[in-house]
Amino acid sequence: MSTQHQHADAVGTSAPRAGASTRTRNGSNLTRALGYTALVVVALLYIYPFLIQLATSFKTDADATSHPLSLWPQHFTTAAFSRLAEADYPRWFANSVVVALFVTAGRVFFDSLAGYALARLRFPGRGALFAAVIAVMAVPGVVLLIPKFLVLNQLGMYDSYSGMIVPLLADAAGVFIMKQFFESIPVSVEEAARIDGANTFRIFWSVVLPMARPALITLTILSFQASWNELPHFIVSRQSPDLNTLTTGVASLVSGQLGQGNQYPIKLAATLLMTIPVALVFFAFQRHFARGGTEGATKG
């Protein structure tokens, strides 16, 4: 009898536990479904303007003015892209490619050098120099526009490729990212290379830099995006139309012959083509981008 009572008690206690487990699982599934629903809604809110941009690029001027929020052109046409090809858009695109590639390569190299020096080398004023780097990050870029113009003008670099590229070859945020990442690399790795007779630059170039690949990819993406989308610096560093980049060229579409009237298709087609290179770079390296941002923020 005692055995039967014990079995009955066990069955009685297991039933509520199973019910509680089922309710917990159902609640967890409901929470997950609500979370995914919220993410989808937010994603649609971000994607919807891009879809409007894409659709409007293939509309006629009249269609874009009458139905600006429509996601499907009533009369599909590529006239906007043809007009851009006949204008100076190819030159703007080429200028942006040249500037972005040189600036990206320069930032990756110089920011890495500066970050390694601040992370590993011991010299007087290192703390003050790093504090200055942090302070520069807090200064709005617009404050430096007039000084940039004056310096470029005095050095004879105004209205030239060098004036557009050289001031952008290093930035404080990149130095900070690389310094934080280098500090997460064990010092013992460098000590072993130093025992083998490697000098400081050789250790940096052959040992430490390959280990910083996630941070380098992060810096490459950020540098390319920043230089590709740069506008204020290009306004004060040049005046010749032949040196227009995509940012200054697309901004000029709101005035002049191409800017008369609404002309939404040609404007949005220009911005659409401008967005594609940055999007391709980001999606190609997004996994490394997230990893670099995480690893660069931790030490040890």
Side-chain angles (χ1 to χ4, degrees):
M1 293 294 294
S2 60
T3 303
Q4 293 177 351
H5 282 298
Q6 292 176 357
H7 179 71
D9 292 340
V11 172
T13 56
S14 62
R17 292 178 181 175
S21 176
T22 301
R23 287 194 296 271
T24 302
R25 187 163 51 251
N26 291 337
S28 177
N29 292 335
L30 178 61
T31 302
R32 187 181 296 108
L34 292 176
Y36 283 134
T37 302
L39 290 176
V40 169
V41 171
V42 173
L44 290 176
L45 290 177
Y46 276 93
I47 293 175
Y48 185 67
F50 177 77
L51 295 178
I52 293 177
Q53 178 190 47
L54 180 63
T56 305
S57 300
F58 296 97
K59 294 179 181 179
T60 62
D61 290 339
D63 186 14
T65 303
S66 303
H67 309 89
L69 300 182
S70 173
L71 295 181
W72 190 259
Q74 293 187 349
H75 303 285
F76 188 89
T77 177
T78 59
F81 296 96
S82 300
R83 293 177 63 190
L84 286 176
E86 296 172 357
D88 290 332
Y89 196 89
R91 177 184 289 274
W92 303 343
F93 191 92
N95 288 338
S96 289
V97 170
V98 171
V99 172
L101 291 180
F102 276 99
V103 170
T104 300
R107 284 191 178 182
V108 170
F109 180 69
F110 292 115
D111 289 356
S112 299
L113 279 176
Y116 182 76
L118 292 173
R120 287 292 190 261
L121 302 185
R122 299 293 182 264
F123 55 88
R126 187 180 68 133
L129 182 59
F130 182 63
V133 171
I134 300 298
V136 169
M137 294 174 60
V139 177
V142 67
V143 176
L144 304 176
L145 291 182
I146 295 179
K148 280 183 179 181
F149 168 76
L150 295 176
V151 171
L152 292 174
N153 196 32
Q154 288 295 322
L155 295 178
M157 299 171 61
Y158 179 72
D159 204 24
S160 65
Y161 281 110
S162 60
M164 298 169 63
I165 295 173
V166 173
L168 301 179
L169 288 181
D171 71 318
V175 174
F176 178 80
I177 291 174
M178 296 309 300
K179 175 185 180 295
Q180 295 300 103
F181 194 93
F182 286 140
E183 288 183 344
S184 69
I185 298 176
V187 181
S188 58
V189 176
E190 302 169 54
E191 293 176 347
R194 189 170 286 108
I195 293 175
D196 292 337
N199 57 29
T200 301
F201 184 80
R202 183 61 182 271
I203 294 174
F204 161 76
W205 187 259
S206 302
V207 179
V208 179
L209 203 59
M211 299 177 64
R213 182 182 176 186
L216 290 176
I217 293 177
T218 300
L219 183 58
T220 299
I221 295 174
L222 294 177
S223 299
F224 183 83
Q225 182 182 27
S227 57
W228 187 267
N229 295 328
E230 179 65 38
L231 176 61
H233 172 69
F234 296 149
I235 291 177
V236 301
S237 62
R238 45 140 296 277
Q239 64 177 358
S240 173
D242 293 336
L243 294 178
N244 265 332
T245 59
L246 284 173
T247 51
T248 56
V250 171
S252 69
L253 291 179
V254 299
S255 60
Q257 183 177 0
L258 292 179
Q260 294 178 356
N262 291 331
Q263 300 201 48
Y264 296 132
I266 190 171
K267 297 175 184 177
L268 293 183
T271 55
L272 176 65
L273 294 177
M274 180 180 173
T275 305
I276 291 175
V278 177
L280 292 178
V281 171
F282 180 79
F283 285 118
F285 299 104
Q286 61 176 337
R287 178 169 58 89
H288 300 282
F289 176 80
R291 181 184 170 194
T294 303
E295 295 187 15
T298 59
K299 297 200 284 185

